[in-house]
Structure formats: structure tokens, C-alpha cells
Amino acid sequence: MGSMENGHTTERRFGTLAVHAGAHHDPTTGAVIAPISLSTTYAQTSVGSPVGQYEYTRSSNPNRDNFEEAIAALEHAKYALAFSSGSATTAVVLQSLAAGSHVVSVSDVYGGTHRYFTKVANTQGVEVTFTPTIQDDLEKLIRPETKLIWVETPSNPTLGLVNIRAVADIAHRHGVLVVVDNTFMSPYVQNPITHGADIVVHSVTKYINGHSDVLMGVAAFNSDALKERLGFLQNAIGAVPSAFDCWLAHRGLKTLHLRAREASKNATVVAQILEASPNVISVNYPGLDSHPQRTIALKQHRDGMGGGMLSFRIKGGKAAAHDFCQHTKIFTLAESLGGVESLCEVPASMTHAGIPKEDREIAGVYDDLVRMSCGVEDAEDLKADVLQALELAVASSKA
Ligand SMILES: *Cc1c(COP(=O)(O)O)cnc(C)c1O
């Protein structure tokens, strides 16, 4: 395997790295696929001399190391650290800040991130300021105690984009780190570190695992100081994934490029028929030329891809939005995203129900907004499913 032994090899392309990075042959049996190392402890030959590099599974284990090596390679990072969920990843990054620190965040972050910022971080002396227009406001929001900028692009569920490079340039002039939650795009479509981000975080639960059967998170970065600090907290807090989940997520990761391409292709087809439908008010999809920040997508996303997520406002209000999600036969009405199966939901009544209506509508989350996660089924079937559900939902709202 030669140079592939080093997962950080950058000359290899994405698909090759997805399959091979961190996927070492077992040195004793030759197994092409790594065994799942369920042992929680590792033998020592004399006190303080473990047989191999492992001592206790919370500190490190072979399956987690393999997964972290693969993610580091795919995010063009030197290091990656895996956690028990995307939320645990966020918590550890925030825990790394001293009391008295200040954070600037985009307004429409993931609901659980908003909850952590406003109900947990504040109790530990970390203050978060939210802004809906971070590129314009950042310069004047940065204070001497500002330590972190938190960006999510695309935003959820309205798919607004942030120019990572523009934000990073301002932040770095003030010595402030930039974190990008890259869950919606996956490392295949967007690599925030190459656009100036210091830390990229993922809910592995979504595209990276991709099969809706693992809860997990990961952070990737280049700095040795961050490796030291976040690695210490990974072990000290102990919010780590199981060896089995690391193994499953690594298996899922090996087909990320195939799944992300197909999901993006399907979302483009669905977005186009929605945009052409008389039953639809508007469509949010960064892969469409009508997207207000399409130029950012062209610069920041692989081949200008839009990814697998989109949202749209249906005619007929809240009732039509609810009906639509009940009439789809392939799209399952459910929260979450990024799996091989297509899902749909109504954010105002489900994932974003906790946000007051006025705040929601300022962010574009109206009662009639439907969010869709396009899977990897056949585009023609997804298209037919959406068209028949639109007809039924809008017809019944007019009756
Ligand atoms: C799901 C999600 C999270 C939280 O991840 P969990 O694995 O559910 O804890 C964070 N950010 C985004 C964008 C998400 O979609």
C-alpha cells in the first residue's frame, strides 16, 4: 500500500482516500477489513509497558483511530477526533474555552447547537452573540475576549450560505478561530479548512455514516495545540463513540462520494420540478441558479454541487405542508438527514418548533416550509413521488 499507509496523503483523490485512508490490513491475520476491537483494556507485559499502543479504550482504540485517520484525510486536516454525537463534539469544542470567553455565531445554527449555546455554555461563563448577517457584522462584534466564530453553511433549514474565506479573513486578523459545522455538505462537497476554517465539525450521524444507524460526531483541524487540548478533553470528558460505531461509520464513509453525488443529483432534479410547479411558492437549494448565494456555492462546493438537502414553501399553508409529508410514499416523514433513504419534514412543527414564530419567520422558516433530505433512490421515482404528493396536498387544501 506504500504511501496509502499515510492517510494524510493529499495527492490521492477523494474516492481513493474514502476507501483506503485508515483502512489498514490486519498485520497478524491479513484481514482486509479491520476487526472490531471490543476489548476495553489491553494487556501490559510489565507495569507501564502495554503490548501495543493501546491501554484503555476511552483513551484510544484501533477502530476509532482508523476512523479519525480517514476523516482527517478527507477534510484535508492533520488531525481528527471522534465523539459520541455531533452534539458532544460541539460541547467539547465549547468546553475548551476559558470562562469569560465570547463566541460569535450565525443565527440559524442547528437547534441543539443553539440550545447548548444559550442554556449550557452561558452557565459556564461563555457568552454567545448571534448574527443573521455574519459577513457584514463580524468586524464590529469581535471583542478582546472573543475566542471563536461558529458558522454553519448551508444553514438549516433554509440553505443560506456563508462565505467561509471572508469570515476567516476577518477572524484571523483578530486572532480568533473559526469553526464550521459541515454536516449538511459532508467532506465530499465542501472542505471548510481549505477555505480558511480552523476546525470543521460534523454530525457523523448524517452523511458520513449515511445509513441512519449510528449516532456519532467528529472534529478535524490542523493545529497541534488544538490536538493537545481537544484530545485531552476527549479522554477527560469521555463522550466517545463505541468501537462498533466507529467501525460502522468507517464502513459508511467508504461510499460517501458515491452517495453524496447521487443525493446531490437527485436533489437537483427534485428542486427543478418544485421550482417549475404552480403548487410551490419558492425553493431553497444552493444548486439552483436562482439561489441568492449561488456564487458562494460555485466557489465553495465541489463542482458547484448543491448537496442532498433542500426546502420549499408549498401553497396552501401549514395544512398543505403537513399533508404533503403524509402523501409521499418514498420520502419518509421523519427528522434527521443524510441517509440513503429520502426523508421529509415540516421544520416549523418539528425540528424548529422550539423557536418562537416571529424569530422563525425572520429566518424564513414559515409554517408552510417543507424540508427534504434526498437519498440515493432513482431520481425518476423521487420526482413522481413529489409530484403526486404536491397534487394531493394542494388540491385538498383548496377543497
Ligand atoms: C444533527 C446535527 C447536529 C447534531 O448531531 P447529533 O449527532 O444529532 O448530536 C449538529 N449539527 C447539524 C448541522 C446537524 O444536522
Side-chain angles (χ1 to χ4, degrees):
M1 293 290 288
S3 66
M4 288 308 297
E5 288 301 308
N6 174 1
H8 308 128
T9 307
T10 47
E11 314 88 66
R12 305 280 177 164
R13 289 168 183 80
F14 193 97
T16 310
L17 289 173
V19 172
H20 293 288
H24 310 287
H25 301 166
D26 186 83
T28 49
T29 65
V32 170
I33 300 303
I36 306 173
S37 190
L38 292 175
S39 187
T40 53
T41 189
Y42 294 83
Q44 310 201 359
T45 47
S46 62
V47 174
S49 306
V51 171
Q53 66 185 109
Y54 301 104
E55 292 174 28
Y56 183 64
T57 191
R58 172 165 31 77
S59 310
S60 63
N61 70 64
N63 300 107
R64 195 170 89 204
D65 280 2
N66 291 344
F67 176 77
E68 291 175 344
E69 185 180 338
I71 292 294
L74 296 180
E75 278 294 13
H76 303 290
K78 208 161 144 193
Y79 305 109
L81 294 169
F83 298 91
S84 53
S85 67
S87 304
T89 312
T90 303
V92 168
V93 171
L94 269 286
Q95 278 283 339
S96 72
L97 303 176
S101 299
H102 174 244
V103 174
V104 179
S105 171
V106 294
S107 297
D108 37 358
V109 281
Y110 175 72
T113 304
H114 190 270
R115 182 173 54 211
Y116 193 89
F117 287 173
T118 55
K119 298 205 161 74
V120 184
N122 58 333
T123 67
Q124 296 167 342
V126 172
E127 191 196 338
V128 183
T129 303
F130 294 96
T131 166
T133 46
I134 199 158
Q135 279 157 243
D136 303 332
D137 303 349
L138 187 56
E139 191 78 57
K140 60 178 188 287
L141 290 175
I142 291 179
R143 312 173 191 164
E145 61 276 17
T146 305
K147 293 287 181 274
L148 216 62
I149 310 299
W150 195 279
V151 169
E152 205 174 300
T153 178
S155 69
N156 175 17
T158 53
L159 288 302
L161 304 183
V162 172
N163 184 330
I164 299 169
R165 175 61 65 190
V167 167
D169 284 348
I170 300 168
H172 291 165
R173 251 187 274 129
H174 296 268
V176 179
L177 299 184
V178 176
V179 182
V180 174
D181 183 335
N182 196 27
T183 300
F184 265 41
M185 287 289 96
S186 89
Y188 181 68
V189 182
Q190 176 173 268
N191 289 127
I193 287 175
T194 64
H195 299 288
D198 300 284
I199 305 176
V200 51
V201 297
H202 285 276
S203 169
V204 171
T205 318
K206 317 297 167 50
Y207 283 101
I208 290 178
N209 178 61
H211 294 74
S212 308
D213 50 13
V214 169
L215 180 79
M216 216 169 122
V218 74
F221 44 85
N222 279 320
S223 144
D224 294 332
L226 282 170
K227 170 70 165 65
E228 184 75 26
R229 181 79 185 127
L230 297 177
F232 172 80
L233 291 173
Q234 181 192 41
N235 182 50
I237 294 175
V240 292
S242 71
F244 184 54
D245 281 349
C246 292
W247 187 91
L248 272 179
H250 195 179
R251 179 167 79 162
L253 178 65
K254 290 176 185 177
T255 54
L256 174 60
H257 50 303
L258 308 177
R259 291 183 286 103
R261 277 204 290 264
E262 210 60 19
S264 195
K265 227 164 64 190
N266 284 346
T268 304
V269 169
V270 170
Q272 283 166 346
I273 60 138
L274 286 169
E275 196 167 50
S277 168
N279 298 327
V280 169
I281 298 169
S282 58
V283 181
N284 304 314
Y285 183 62
L288 289 176
D289 287 335
S290 60
H291 191 282
Q293 293 143 325
R294 179 68 184 141
T295 50
I296 299 179
L298 289 169
K299 185 167 101 83
Q300 224 161 253
H301 300 176
R302 182 189 299 272
D303 302 330
M305 292 167 105
M309 299 297 296
L310 62 92
S311 60
F312 70 98
R313 294 186 65 191
I314 193 170
K315 286 189 185 163
K318 178 177 176 173
H322 288 207
D323 280 354
F324 173 86
C325 293
Q326 271 164 279
H327 287 306
T328 51
K329 295 189 173 74
I330 299 172
F331 285 85
T332 298
L333 172 55
E335 296 185 0
S336 201
L337 60 119
V340 290
E341 64 289 317
S342 293
L343 303 176
C344 62
E345 65 123 1
V346 181
S349 306
M350 294 170 65
T351 46
H352 294 65
I355 307 170
K357 189 177 166 82
E358 311 84 73
D359 295 352
R360 248 198 282 123
E361 296 197 342
I362 290 168
V365 187
Y366 297 94
D367 288 346
D368 57 14
L369 188 78
V370 175
R371 188 187 81 177
M372 312 189 84
S373 170
C374 294
V376 303
E377 300 94 337
D378 284 286
E380 285 305 307
D381 293 333
L382 294 183
K383 185 171 151 181
D385 194 34
V386 167
L387 287 174
Q388 65 83 26
L390 270 180
E391 282 300 323
L392 288 172
V394 177
S396 68
S397 78
K398 283 180 187 148

